[in-house]
Amino acid sequence: MAVIFGMTHWSLRICEGLISSKTIALAIEREARNGDRLVVVGDYEAANSLNFYQPLQVEVVDGTAPTFPGDPGIVLTKREYLAAWRSPERMFVLAPVERIEEFAPEGAVVIRVLHRVLARNH
């Protein structure tokens, strides 16, 4: 049993970049300031563990998120997102590598983990 538990733990550590957002969240935590925003491109479920590791509320663009009546709106339209990206407020965006140019024009790459890129506007 000890060998199987050890192998399971080892395999989860190897695959952490594929199944966890911890590395990305820690990069956000190092750079985040009060008032910053974090937007994920795609469905909320693809990055919901970000809420566990870092302080910013996760918003979504070009995807879906579970919502309930009375919840603050966390799903942005692309127009709302791009207006916020170009505004003076500081924003982070997490997007698939192939979509980062679309959602982070002239953004600074903070970290790239496998198929995802975290960028910020200022």
Side-chain angles (χ1 to χ4, degrees):
M1 274 307 224
V3 171
I4 291 183
F5 286 139
M7 291 173 64
T8 302
H9 176 73
W10 182 64
S11 67
L12 287 173
R13 299 286 288 165
I14 290 172
C15 297
E16 186 174 31
L18 294 171
I19 60 175
S20 173
S21 299
K22 184 177 181 179
T23 305
I24 294 166
L26 293 175
I28 294 167
E29 185 179 44
R30 282 191 300 273
E31 293 202 22
R33 297 181 277 200
N34 285 338
D36 288 353
R37 293 175 69 180
L38 170 60
V39 178
V40 173
V41 176
D43 293 333
Y44 175 81
E45 298 303 325
N48 62 1
S49 64
L50 286 173
N51 283 325
F52 181 75
Y53 296 109
Q54 57 80 41
L56 303 179
Q57 177 181 333
V58 175
E59 298 175 83
V60 175
V61 65
D62 206 32
T64 61
T67 56
F68 300 96
D71 280 353
I74 64 167
V75 179
L76 306 172
T77 65
K78 192 167 182 184
R79 174 179 274 154
E80 291 170 328
Y81 166 78
L82 289 173
W85 181 261
R86 293 181 182 115
S87 77
E89 71 181 325
R90 200 166 108 138
M91 232 173 148
F92 293 91
V93 64
L94 179 62
V97 171
E98 64 273 4
R99 299 192 72 193
I100 196 66
E101 292 296 323
E102 176 184 355
F103 287 93
E106 301 174 12
V109 172
V110 175
I111 190 171
R112 178 181 172 164
V113 178
L114 300 174
H115 63 283
R116 300 187 289 179
V117 177
L118 177 70
R120 64 174 159 64
N121 60 347
H122 306 295

